[in-house]
PDB file of all heavy atoms in Angstrom:
ATOM      1  N   GLY A   1      -4.109  11.770  12.447  1.00 36.00           N
ATOM      2  CA  GLY A   1      -5.540  11.953  12.587  1.00 36.00           C
ATOM      3  C   GLY A   1      -6.198  10.675  13.055  1.00 36.00           C
ATOM      4  O   GLY A   1      -5.531   9.711  13.411  1.00 36.00           O
ATOM      5  N   PRO A   2      -7.513  10.636  13.050  1.00 32.00           N
ATOM      6  CA  PRO A   2      -8.209   9.460  13.553  1.00 32.00           C
ATOM      7  C   PRO A   2      -8.078   8.238  12.656  1.00 32.00           C
ATOM      8  O   PRO A   2      -8.309   7.133  13.087  1.00 32.00           O
ATOM      9  CB  PRO A   2      -9.678   9.933  13.608  1.00 32.00           C
ATOM     10  CG  PRO A   2      -9.742  11.028  12.581  1.00 32.00           C
ATOM     11  CD  PRO A   2      -8.402  11.712  12.653  1.00 32.00           C
ATOM     12  N   SER A   3      -7.707   8.437  11.373  1.00 48.00           N
ATOM     13  CA  SER A   3      -7.672   7.300  10.464  1.00 48.00           C
ATOM     14  C   SER A   3      -6.458   7.263   9.557  1.00 48.00           C
ATOM     15  O   SER A   3      -6.369   6.415   8.687  1.00 48.00           O
ATOM     16  CB  SER A   3      -8.935   7.296   9.591  1.00 48.00           C
ATOM     17  OG  SER A   3      -8.996   8.468   8.795  1.00 48.00           O
ATOM     18  N   MET A   4      -5.519   8.178   9.703  1.00 45.00           N
ATOM     19  CA  MET A   4      -4.376   8.166   8.799  1.00 45.00           C
ATOM     20  C   MET A   4      -3.161   8.803   9.441  1.00 45.00           C
ATOM     21  O   MET A   4      -3.266   9.562  10.402  1.00 45.00           O
ATOM     22  CB  MET A   4      -4.697   8.901   7.501  1.00 45.00           C
ATOM     23  CG  MET A   4      -4.985  10.390   7.679  1.00 45.00           C
ATOM     24  SD  MET A   4      -5.010  11.317   6.131  1.00 45.00           S
ATOM     25  CE  MET A   4      -3.251  11.549   5.858  1.00 45.00           C
ATOM     26  N   VAL A   5      -2.004   8.461   8.892  1.00 49.00           N
ATOM     27  CA  VAL A   5      -0.747   9.079   9.270  1.00 49.00           C
ATOM     28  C   VAL A   5      -0.143   9.662   8.013  1.00 49.00           C
ATOM     29  O   VAL A   5       0.035   8.962   7.027  1.00 49.00           O
ATOM     30  CB  VAL A   5       0.218   8.047   9.877  1.00 49.00           C
ATOM     31  CG1 VAL A   5       1.548   8.697  10.204  1.00 49.00           C
ATOM     32  CG2 VAL A   5      -0.388   7.423  11.122  1.00 49.00           C
ATOM     33  N   GLY A   6       0.180  10.968   8.015  1.00 47.00           N
ATOM     34  CA  GLY A   6       0.806  11.537   6.844  1.00 47.00           C
ATOM     35  C   GLY A   6       0.171  12.851   6.426  1.00 47.00           C
ATOM     36  O   GLY A   6      -0.870  13.244   6.932  1.00 47.00           O
ATOM     37  N   PRO A   7       0.786  13.524   5.481  1.00 47.00           N
ATOM     38  CA  PRO A   7       0.336  14.854   5.079  1.00 47.00           C
ATOM     39  C   PRO A   7      -0.769  14.868   4.048  1.00 47.00           C
ATOM     40  O   PRO A   7      -1.357  15.897   3.788  1.00 47.00           O
ATOM     41  CB  PRO A   7       1.613  15.466   4.490  1.00 47.00           C
ATOM     42  CG  PRO A   7       2.320  14.291   3.902  1.00 47.00           C
ATOM     43  CD  PRO A   7       2.055  13.144   4.854  1.00 47.00           C
ATOM     44  N   SER A   8      -1.070  13.740   3.412  1.00 52.00           N
ATOM     45  CA  SER A   8      -2.023  13.727   2.305  1.00 52.00           C
ATOM     46  C   SER A   8      -2.795  12.427   2.305  1.00 52.00           C
ATOM     47  O   SER A   8      -2.202  11.347   2.261  1.00 52.00           O
ATOM     48  CB  SER A   8      -1.280  13.892   0.968  1.00 52.00           C
ATOM     49  OG  SER A   8      -2.104  13.538  -0.117  1.00 52.00           O
ATOM     50  N   SER A   9      -4.116  12.514   2.345  1.00 51.00           N
ATOM     51  CA  SER A   9      -4.925  11.296   2.330  1.00 51.00           C
ATOM     52  C   SER A   9      -4.734  10.527   1.030  1.00 51.00           C
ATOM     53  O   SER A   9      -4.745   9.300   1.013  1.00 51.00           O
ATOM     54  CB  SER A   9      -6.406  11.637   2.540  1.00 51.00           C
ATOM     55  OG  SER A   9      -6.873  12.508   1.528  1.00 51.00           O
ATOM     56  N   SER A  10      -4.566  11.249  -0.077  1.00 51.00           N
ATOM     57  CA  SER A  10      -4.392  10.581  -1.371  1.00 51.00           C
ATOM     58  C   SER A  10      -3.025   9.918  -1.483  1.00 51.00           C
ATOM     59  O   SER A  10      -2.902   8.800  -1.972  1.00 51.00           O
ATOM     60  CB  SER A  10      -4.559  11.583  -2.513  1.00 51.00           C
ATOM     61  OG  SER A  10      -5.876  12.061  -2.582  1.00 51.00           O
ATOM     62  N   HIS A  11      -1.987  10.624  -1.024  1.00 55.00           N
ATOM     63  CA  HIS A  11      -0.628  10.132  -1.231  1.00 55.00           C
ATOM     64  C   HIS A  11      -0.139   9.221  -0.114  1.00 55.00           C
ATOM     65  O   HIS A  11       0.872   8.540  -0.285  1.00 55.00           O
ATOM     66  CB  HIS A  11       0.331  11.316  -1.399  1.00 55.00           C
ATOM     67  CG  HIS A  11       0.213  11.981  -2.731  1.00 55.00           C
ATOM     68  ND1 HIS A  11       1.166  11.884  -3.711  1.00 55.00           N
ATOM     69  CD2 HIS A  11      -0.779  12.743  -3.263  1.00 55.00           C
ATOM     70  CE1 HIS A  11       0.785  12.571  -4.780  1.00 55.00           C
ATOM     71  NE2 HIS A  11      -0.390  13.103  -4.526  1.00 55.00           N
ATOM     72  N   THR A  12      -0.827   9.216   1.033  1.00 85.00           N
ATOM     73  CA  THR A  12      -0.376   8.347   2.124  1.00 85.00           C
ATOM     74  C   THR A  12      -1.440   7.327   2.503  1.00 85.00           C
ATOM     75  O   THR A  12      -1.239   6.133   2.328  1.00 85.00           O
ATOM     76  CB  THR A  12       0.059   9.178   3.348  1.00 85.00           C
ATOM     77  OG1 THR A  12      -0.981  10.114   3.681  1.00 85.00           O
ATOM     78  CG2 THR A  12       1.315   9.953   3.043  1.00 85.00           C
ATOM     79  N   ALA A  13      -2.597   7.766   3.014  1.00 90.00           N
ATOM     80  CA  ALA A  13      -3.616   6.813   3.444  1.00 90.00           C
ATOM     81  C   ALA A  13      -4.051   5.903   2.296  1.00 90.00           C
ATOM     82  O   ALA A  13      -4.143   4.683   2.450  1.00 90.00           O
ATOM     83  CB  ALA A  13      -4.820   7.557   4.023  1.00 90.00           C
ATOM     84  N   GLY A  14      -4.340   6.488   1.130  1.00 93.00           N
ATOM     85  CA  GLY A  14      -4.729   5.684  -0.018  1.00 93.00           C
ATOM     86  C   GLY A  14      -3.629   4.735  -0.447  1.00 93.00           C
ATOM     87  O   GLY A  14      -3.884   3.577  -0.803  1.00 93.00           O
ATOM     88  N   ALA A  15      -2.383   5.208  -0.401  1.00 94.00           N
ATOM     89  CA  ALA A  15      -1.257   4.364  -0.800  1.00 94.00           C
ATOM     90  C   ALA A  15      -1.072   3.190   0.162  1.00 94.00           C
ATOM     91  O   ALA A  15      -0.740   2.077  -0.257  1.00 94.00           O
ATOM     92  CB  ALA A  15       0.013   5.200  -0.876  1.00 94.00           C
ATOM     93  N   VAL A  16      -1.271   3.434   1.463  1.00 95.00           N
ATOM     94  CA  VAL A  16      -1.205   2.330   2.428  1.00 95.00           C
ATOM     95  C   VAL A  16      -2.220   1.250   2.049  1.00 95.00           C
ATOM     96  O   VAL A  16      -1.910   0.053   2.048  1.00 95.00           O
ATOM     97  CB  VAL A  16      -1.470   2.833   3.864  1.00 95.00           C
ATOM     98  CG1 VAL A  16      -1.655   1.643   4.814  1.00 95.00           C
ATOM     99  CG2 VAL A  16      -0.323   3.694   4.360  1.00 95.00           C
ATOM    100  N   ARG A  17      -3.417   1.661   1.720  1.00 96.00           N
ATOM    101  CA  ARG A  17      -4.475   0.701   1.394  1.00 96.00           C
ATOM    102  C   ARG A  17      -4.156  -0.088   0.132  1.00 96.00           C
ATOM    103  O   ARG A  17      -4.431  -1.290   0.048  1.00 96.00           O
ATOM    104  CB  ARG A  17      -5.810   1.428   1.258  1.00 96.00           C
ATOM    105  CG  ARG A  17      -6.361   1.886   2.600  1.00 96.00           C
ATOM    106  CD  ARG A  17      -7.633   2.665   2.466  1.00 96.00           C
ATOM    107  NE  ARG A  17      -8.239   2.893   3.781  1.00 96.00           N
ATOM    108  CZ  ARG A  17      -9.290   3.666   4.000  1.00 96.00           C
ATOM    109  NH1 ARG A  17      -9.859   4.295   2.990  1.00 96.00           N
ATOM    110  NH2 ARG A  17      -9.768   3.807   5.224  1.00 96.00           N
ATOM    111  N   ILE A  18      -3.571   0.572  -0.863  1.00 97.00           N
ATOM    112  CA  ILE A  18      -3.187  -0.159  -2.077  1.00 97.00           C
ATOM    113  C   ILE A  18      -2.149  -1.225  -1.736  1.00 97.00           C
ATOM    114  O   ILE A  18      -2.231  -2.371  -2.192  1.00 97.00           O
ATOM    115  CB  ILE A  18      -2.647   0.816  -3.144  1.00 97.00           C
ATOM    116  CG1 ILE A  18      -3.772   1.736  -3.644  1.00 97.00           C
ATOM    117  CG2 ILE A  18      -2.041   0.045  -4.322  1.00 97.00           C
ATOM    118  CD1 ILE A  18      -3.282   2.866  -4.538  1.00 97.00           C
ATOM    119  N   GLY A  19      -1.158  -0.853  -0.924  1.00 97.00           N
ATOM    120  CA  GLY A  19      -0.142  -1.819  -0.532  1.00 97.00           C
ATOM    121  C   GLY A  19      -0.718  -2.977   0.252  1.00 97.00           C
ATOM    122  O   GLY A  19      -0.331  -4.145   0.060  1.00 97.00           O
ATOM    123  N   LEU A  20      -1.657  -2.685   1.147  1.00 97.00           N
ATOM    124  CA  LEU A  20      -2.257  -3.734   1.964  1.00 97.00           C
ATOM    125  C   LEU A  20      -3.112  -4.678   1.129  1.00 97.00           C
ATOM    126  O   LEU A  20      -3.098  -5.899   1.329  1.00 97.00           O
ATOM    127  CB  LEU A  20      -3.094  -3.102   3.078  1.00 97.00           C
ATOM    128  CG  LEU A  20      -3.727  -4.056   4.096  1.00 97.00           C
ATOM    129  CD1 LEU A  20      -2.669  -4.930   4.746  1.00 97.00           C
ATOM    130  CD2 LEU A  20      -4.489  -3.269   5.155  1.00 97.00           C
ATOM    131  N   ILE A  21      -3.857  -4.132   0.170  1.00 97.00           N
ATOM    132  CA  ILE A  21      -4.650  -4.985  -0.718  1.00 97.00           C
ATOM    133  C   ILE A  21      -3.739  -5.915  -1.514  1.00 97.00           C
ATOM    134  O   ILE A  21      -4.029  -7.110  -1.678  1.00 97.00           O
ATOM    135  CB  ILE A  21      -5.524  -4.128  -1.648  1.00 97.00           C
ATOM    136  CG1 ILE A  21      -6.659  -3.476  -0.847  1.00 97.00           C
ATOM    137  CG2 ILE A  21      -6.097  -4.963  -2.799  1.00 97.00           C
ATOM    138  CD1 ILE A  21      -7.454  -2.437  -1.616  1.00 97.00           C
ATOM    139  N   ALA A  22      -2.618  -5.388  -2.005  1.00 98.00           N
ATOM    140  CA  ALA A  22      -1.680  -6.219  -2.758  1.00 98.00           C
ATOM    141  C   ALA A  22      -1.120  -7.334  -1.884  1.00 98.00           C
ATOM    142  O   ALA A  22      -1.004  -8.485  -2.313  1.00 98.00           O
ATOM    143  CB  ALA A  22      -0.549  -5.359  -3.315  1.00 98.00           C
ATOM    144  N   ARG A  23      -0.765  -7.005  -0.637  1.00 97.00           N
ATOM    145  CA  ARG A  23      -0.245  -8.022   0.288  1.00 97.00           C
ATOM    146  C   ARG A  23      -1.290  -9.108   0.532  1.00 97.00           C
ATOM    147  O   ARG A  23      -0.980 -10.312   0.535  1.00 97.00           O
ATOM    148  CB  ARG A  23       0.169  -7.363   1.602  1.00 97.00           C
ATOM    149  CG  ARG A  23       0.608  -8.361   2.682  1.00 97.00           C
ATOM    150  CD  ARG A  23       0.718  -7.690   4.032  1.00 97.00           C
ATOM    151  NE  ARG A  23       0.911  -8.654   5.097  1.00 97.00           N
ATOM    152  CZ  ARG A  23       2.064  -8.911   5.693  1.00 97.00           C
ATOM    153  NH1 ARG A  23       3.156  -8.277   5.313  1.00 97.00           N
ATOM    154  NH2 ARG A  23       2.134  -9.797   6.675  1.00 97.00           N
ATOM    155  N   GLN A  24      -2.544  -8.696   0.751  1.00 97.00           N
ATOM    156  CA  GLN A  24      -3.586  -9.677   1.035  1.00 97.00           C
ATOM    157  C   GLN A  24      -3.905 -10.527  -0.188  1.00 97.00           C
ATOM    158  O   GLN A  24      -4.266 -11.698  -0.054  1.00 97.00           O
ATOM    159  CB  GLN A  24      -4.834  -8.971   1.558  1.00 97.00           C
ATOM    160  CG  GLN A  24      -4.623  -8.370   2.947  1.00 97.00           C
ATOM    161  CD  GLN A  24      -5.880  -7.756   3.526  1.00 97.00           C
ATOM    162  OE1 GLN A  24      -6.888  -7.586   2.842  1.00 97.00           O
ATOM    163  NE2 GLN A  24      -5.830  -7.411   4.797  1.00 97.00           N
ATOM    164  N   LEU A  25      -3.776  -9.964  -1.380  1.00 97.00           N
ATOM    165  CA  LEU A  25      -3.976 -10.763  -2.586  1.00 97.00           C
ATOM    166  C   LEU A  25      -2.914 -11.857  -2.683  1.00 97.00           C
ATOM    167  O   LEU A  25      -3.210 -12.993  -3.058  1.00 97.00           O
ATOM    168  CB  LEU A  25      -3.939  -9.873  -3.833  1.00 97.00           C
ATOM    169  CG  LEU A  25      -4.211 -10.583  -5.162  1.00 97.00           C
ATOM    170  CD1 LEU A  25      -5.620 -11.167  -5.207  1.00 97.00           C
ATOM    171  CD2 LEU A  25      -4.000  -9.631  -6.337  1.00 97.00           C
ATOM    172  N   LEU A  26      -1.681 -11.532  -2.326  1.00 97.00           N
ATOM    173  CA  LEU A  26      -0.608 -12.539  -2.308  1.00 97.00           C
ATOM    174  C   LEU A  26      -0.825 -13.527  -1.165  1.00 97.00           C
ATOM    175  O   LEU A  26      -0.360 -14.662  -1.226  1.00 97.00           O
ATOM    176  CB  LEU A  26       0.747 -11.860  -2.175  1.00 97.00           C
ATOM    177  CG  LEU A  26       1.981 -12.753  -2.276  1.00 97.00           C
ATOM    178  CD1 LEU A  26       2.115 -13.346  -3.681  1.00 97.00           C
ATOM    179  CD2 LEU A  26       3.247 -11.986  -1.908  1.00 97.00           C
ATOM    180  N   ALA A  27      -1.504 -13.063  -0.106  1.00 94.00           N
ATOM    181  CA  ALA A  27      -1.835 -13.878   1.073  1.00 94.00           C
ATOM    182  C   ALA A  27      -0.640 -14.161   1.965  1.00 94.00           C
ATOM    183  O   ALA A  27      -0.673 -15.081   2.779  1.00 94.00           O
ATOM    184  CB  ALA A  27      -2.514 -15.196   0.667  1.00 94.00           C
ATOM    185  N   GLU A  28       0.408 -13.379   1.835  1.00 94.00           N
ATOM    186  CA  GLU A  28       1.553 -13.473   2.732  1.00 94.00           C
ATOM    187  C   GLU A  28       2.489 -12.296   2.452  1.00 94.00           C
ATOM    188  O   GLU A  28       2.327 -11.561   1.487  1.00 94.00           O
ATOM    189  CB  GLU A  28       2.303 -14.781   2.560  1.00 94.00           C
ATOM    190  CG  GLU A  28       2.996 -14.952   1.212  1.00 94.00           C
ATOM    191  CD  GLU A  28       3.769 -16.263   1.135  1.00 94.00           C
ATOM    192  OE1 GLU A  28       3.120 -17.300   0.895  1.00 94.00           O
ATOM    193  OE2 GLU A  28       5.002 -16.234   1.331  1.00 94.00           O
ATOM    194  N   GLN A  29       3.466 -12.159   3.320  1.00 94.00           N
ATOM    195  CA  GLN A  29       4.452 -11.094   3.125  1.00 94.00           C
ATOM    196  C   GLN A  29       5.340 -11.426   1.931  1.00 94.00           C
ATOM    197  O   GLN A  29       5.858 -12.529   1.822  1.00 94.00           O
ATOM    198  CB  GLN A  29       5.316 -10.962   4.383  1.00 94.00           C
ATOM    199  CG  GLN A  29       6.386  -9.891   4.283  1.00 94.00           C
ATOM    200  CD  GLN A  29       7.144  -9.768   5.592  1.00 94.00           C
ATOM    201  OE1 GLN A  29       6.657  -9.213   6.561  1.00 94.00           O
ATOM    202  NE2 GLN A  29       8.353 -10.302   5.614  1.00 94.00           N
ATOM    203  N   PRO A  30       5.522 -10.485   1.006  1.00 97.00           N
ATOM    204  CA  PRO A  30       6.372 -10.760  -0.160  1.00 97.00           C
ATOM    205  C   PRO A  30       7.853 -10.697   0.194  1.00 97.00           C
ATOM    206  O   PRO A  30       8.236 -10.140   1.228  1.00 97.00           O
ATOM    207  CB  PRO A  30       6.000  -9.626  -1.118  1.00 97.00           C
ATOM    208  CG  PRO A  30       5.626  -8.489  -0.202  1.00 97.00           C
ATOM    209  CD  PRO A  30       4.950  -9.130   0.978  1.00 97.00           C
ATOM    210  N   VAL A  31       8.666 -11.263  -0.683  1.00 98.00           N
ATOM    211  CA  VAL A  31      10.123 -11.140  -0.519  1.00 98.00           C
ATOM    212  C   VAL A  31      10.673 -10.063  -1.435  1.00 98.00           C
ATOM    213  O   VAL A  31      11.740  -9.505  -1.181  1.00 98.00           O
ATOM    214  CB  VAL A  31      10.842 -12.478  -0.780  1.00 98.00           C
ATOM    215  CG1 VAL A  31      10.447 -13.502   0.259  1.00 98.00           C
ATOM    216  CG2 VAL A  31      10.548 -13.006  -2.185  1.00 98.00           C
ATOM    217  N   SER A  32       9.942  -9.751  -2.511  1.00 98.00           N
ATOM    218  CA  SER A  32      10.351  -8.660  -3.395  1.00 98.00           C
ATOM    219  C   SER A  32       9.126  -8.037  -4.034  1.00 98.00           C
ATOM    220  O   SER A  32       8.118  -8.718  -4.267  1.00 98.00           O
ATOM    221  CB  SER A  32      11.320  -9.152  -4.483  1.00 98.00           C
ATOM    222  OG  SER A  32      10.680 -10.023  -5.382  1.00 98.00           O
ATOM    223  N   VAL A  33       9.220  -6.726  -4.282  1.00 98.00           N
ATOM    224  CA  VAL A  33       8.106  -5.983  -4.875  1.00 98.00           C
ATOM    225  C   VAL A  33       8.674  -4.946  -5.828  1.00 98.00           C
ATOM    226  O   VAL A  33       9.583  -4.188  -5.474  1.00 98.00           O
ATOM    227  CB  VAL A  33       7.260  -5.262  -3.806  1.00 98.00           C
ATOM    228  CG1 VAL A  33       6.044  -4.613  -4.461  1.00 98.00           C
ATOM    229  CG2 VAL A  33       6.848  -6.203  -2.688  1.00 98.00           C
ATOM    230  N   LYS A  34       8.125  -4.904  -7.027  1.00 98.00           N
ATOM    231  CA  LYS A  34       8.433  -3.832  -7.970  1.00 98.00           C
ATOM    232  C   LYS A  34       7.216  -2.929  -8.052  1.00 98.00           C
ATOM    233  O   LYS A  34       6.108  -3.408  -8.305  1.00 98.00           O
ATOM    234  CB  LYS A  34       8.762  -4.398  -9.354  1.00 98.00           C
ATOM    235  CG  LYS A  34       9.062  -3.319 -10.391  1.00 98.00           C
ATOM    236  CD  LYS A  34       9.351  -3.928 -11.760  1.00 98.00           C
ATOM    237  CE  LYS A  34       9.582  -2.855 -12.812  1.00 98.00           C
ATOM    238  NZ  LYS A  34       9.830  -3.442 -14.152  1.00 98.00           N
ATOM    239  N   ILE A  35       7.413  -1.623  -7.812  1.00 97.00           N
ATOM    240  CA  ILE A  35       6.313  -0.677  -7.792  1.00 97.00           C
ATOM    241  C   ILE A  35       6.537   0.380  -8.860  1.00 97.00           C
ATOM    242  O   ILE A  35       7.525   1.117  -8.823  1.00 97.00           O
ATOM    243  CB  ILE A  35       6.177   0.005  -6.424  1.00 97.00           C
ATOM    244  CG1 ILE A  35       5.969  -1.053  -5.320  1.00 97.00           C
ATOM    245  CG2 ILE A  35       5.021   0.998  -6.434  1.00 97.00           C
ATOM    246  CD1 ILE A  35       5.918  -0.468  -3.927  1.00 97.00           C
ATOM    247  N   ALA A  36       5.624   0.451  -9.819  1.00 96.00           N
ATOM    248  CA  ALA A  36       5.653   1.491 -10.847  1.00 96.00           C
ATOM    249  C   ALA A  36       4.667   2.575 -10.447  1.00 96.00           C
ATOM    250  O   ALA A  36       3.504   2.296 -10.157  1.00 96.00           O
ATOM    251  CB  ALA A  36       5.285   0.916 -12.208  1.00 96.00           C
ATOM    252  N   LEU A  37       5.133   3.829 -10.421  1.00 95.00           N
ATOM    253  CA  LEU A  37       4.313   4.959 -10.018  1.00 95.00           C
ATOM    254  C   LEU A  37       3.968   5.812 -11.241  1.00 95.00           C
ATOM    255  O   LEU A  37       4.820   6.059 -12.095  1.00 95.00           O
ATOM    256  CB  LEU A  37       5.050   5.806  -8.982  1.00 95.00           C
ATOM    257  CG  LEU A  37       5.436   5.082  -7.688  1.00 95.00           C
ATOM    258  CD1 LEU A  37       6.310   5.985  -6.821  1.00 95.00           C
ATOM    259  CD2 LEU A  37       4.206   4.641  -6.922  1.00 95.00           C
ATOM    260  N   TYR A  38       2.727   6.272 -11.288  1.00 93.00           N
ATOM    261  CA  TYR A  38       2.239   7.051 -12.423  1.00 93.00           C
ATOM    262  C   TYR A  38       1.750   8.421 -11.961  1.00 93.00           C
ATOM    263  O   TYR A  38       1.373   8.612 -10.805  1.00 93.00           O
ATOM    264  CB  TYR A  38       1.092   6.316 -13.116  1.00 93.00           C
ATOM    265  CG  TYR A  38       1.465   5.000 -13.736  1.00 93.00           C
ATOM    266  CD1 TYR A  38       1.568   3.850 -12.953  1.00 93.00           C
ATOM    267  CD2 TYR A  38       1.716   4.879 -15.100  1.00 93.00           C
ATOM    268  CE1 TYR A  38       1.910   2.624 -13.511  1.00 93.00           C
ATOM    269  CE2 TYR A  38       2.057   3.667 -15.674  1.00 93.00           C
ATOM    270  CZ  TYR A  38       2.157   2.536 -14.871  1.00 93.00           C
ATOM    271  OH  TYR A  38       2.505   1.329 -15.428  1.00 93.00           O
TER     272      TYR A  38
END
């Protein structure tokens, strides 16, 4: 679509944004990431 790739805005577009915010908080590309899903 015009603003997302994937079947679900909640499960894909929103998830991309969470990952990007985490990357920007670190201020660089991480070498390891542990992700807990709820």
